[in-house]
Amino acid sequence: DVKVTQSSRYLVKRTGEKVFLECVQDMDHENMFWYRQDPGLGLRLIYFSYDVKMKEKGDIPEGYSVSREKKERFSLILESASTNQTSMYLCASSLVGTGLRDQPQHFGDGTRLSIL
Amino acid sequence: SQQGEEDPQALSIQEGENATMNCSYKTSINNLQWYRQNSGRGLVHLILIRSNEREKHSGRLRVTLDTSKKSSSLLITASRAADTASYFCATVFSGNTPLVFGKGTRLSVIA
């Protein structure tokens, strides 16, 4: 089975801190994704990557950056954390298939991040 | 927004009953996927249906797709308490774009 591991289940940080969320997958998937999930808003895509060192903006990239130095690892960075970034963050991965579109995504269990 | 919309937002049924959730979308799709999310966990892929398919089955799950009405439904038969979760549809539009998730239906199955 595919395993997507997020480094922390719960994280508490302070406003202005630089925050790193780590995600590792063990199935050699090309595509990796970062989402945030908020009540009433569903899942919103922050960034995704279809190859090492490649990244694409999703729907809400402002205030975030990402890093993919190795195929199995995709990091989400909050450059200067703010209270409106308090959320559940979900990482996912998928095979390339014929593109980003026709392969199921495999999710980690999420990181619940609180910014105080 | 291109986001799919699930209906109802919340559904409560007795164990053994069938649960039906619907998803509507606005533009042409390549495929549509359904996911389940247990409380406090990540999403789990359930089933994928392509735009040229009308119905797919997987165990107690039945998914239909009506591209003329731009809608899909997920039926869970003989529901169990363990089916209690949120269910999301995710759509793939034209081009090499990622999935777009709806806001989900919260299903509660009461034993």
Side-chain angles (χ1 to χ4, degrees):
Chain A
D1 273 355
V2 176
K3 189 165 179 63
V4 179
T5 303
Q6 295 185 230
S7 53
S8 304
R9 291 296 306 275
Y10 302 93
L11 203 55
V12 180
K13 295 291 183 180
R14 296 204 175 275
T15 303
E17 281 192 69
K18 190 168 186 176
V19 180
F20 294 85
L21 302 183
E22 305 288 346
C23 175
V24 177
Q25 51 93 3
D26 66 358
M27 283 301 290
D28 207 33
H29 284 176
E30 292 83 1
N31 303 322
M32 296 189 76
F33 309 84
W34 274 107
Y35 298 89
R36 63 177 285 177
Q37 184 176 25
D38 301 286
L41 297 177
L43 272 75
R44 293 181 291 168
L45 182 63
I46 305 171
Y47 268 97
F48 62 100
S49 169
Y50 50 86
D51 202 352
V52 176
K53 296 192 186 294
M54 305 301 288
K55 61 184 179 183
E56 295 285 344
K57 292 180 180 179
D59 299 319
I60 51 164
E62 296 78 18
Y64 303 94
S65 63
V66 290
S67 172
R68 193 160 181 207
E69 296 296 317
K70 294 185 178 181
K71 190 174 185 180
E72 67 271 19
R73 185 180 296 270
F74 193 35
S75 303
L76 179 69
I77 304 154
L78 285 65
E79 298 291 343
S80 177
S82 64
T83 55
N84 63 11
Q85 292 178 310
T86 290
S87 186
M88 168 72 99
Y89 288 87
L90 292 164
C91 174
S93 71
S94 70
L95 284 170
V96 68
T98 57
L100 290 165
R101 55 189 183 175
D102 64 352
Q103 296 294 320
Q105 292 188 11
H106 301 265
F107 283 80
D109 277 339
T111 295
R112 190 166 292 281
L113 175 64
S114 296
I115 307 296
L116 304 179
Chain B
S1 167
Q2 291 184 317
Q3 204 174 31
E5 290 188 17
E6 291 92 343
D7 173 61
Q9 291 186 349
L11 179 62
S12 184
I13 60 173
Q14 297 288 327
E15 203 167 31
E17 293 180 340
N18 295 343
T20 300
M21 288 157 272
N22 302 296
C23 173
S24 60
Y25 55 91
K26 295 179 181 177
T27 60
S28 297
I29 60 170
N30 174 275
N31 70 62
L32 186 144
Q33 303 179 27
W34 284 93
Y35 289 77
R36 184 188 76 234
Q37 183 180 33
N38 291 88
S39 181
R41 305 298 297 272
L43 280 72
V44 174
H45 180 261
L46 295 176
I47 201 162
L48 181 154
I49 186 165
R50 301 189 187 284
S51 59
N52 61 354
E53 297 175 313
R54 291 297 167 260
E55 188 171 312
K56 283 190 84 168
H57 296 257
S58 177
R60 292 184 296 113
L61 306 180
R62 173 177 167 248
V63 169
T64 61
L65 179 64
D66 187 334
T67 52
S68 66
K69 294 182 179 178
K70 292 186 171 57
S71 68
S72 174
S73 67
L74 169 67
L75 168 68
I76 303 173
T77 60
S79 62
R80 306 166 182 168
D83 295 326
T84 294
S86 291
Y87 292 82
F88 295 85
C89 69
T91 44
V92 178
F93 302 100
S94 61
N96 196 27
T97 54
L99 291 175
V100 179
F101 286 85
K103 297 179 182 179
T105 292
R106 288 192 317 278
L107 173 66
S108 298
V109 181
I110 301 165

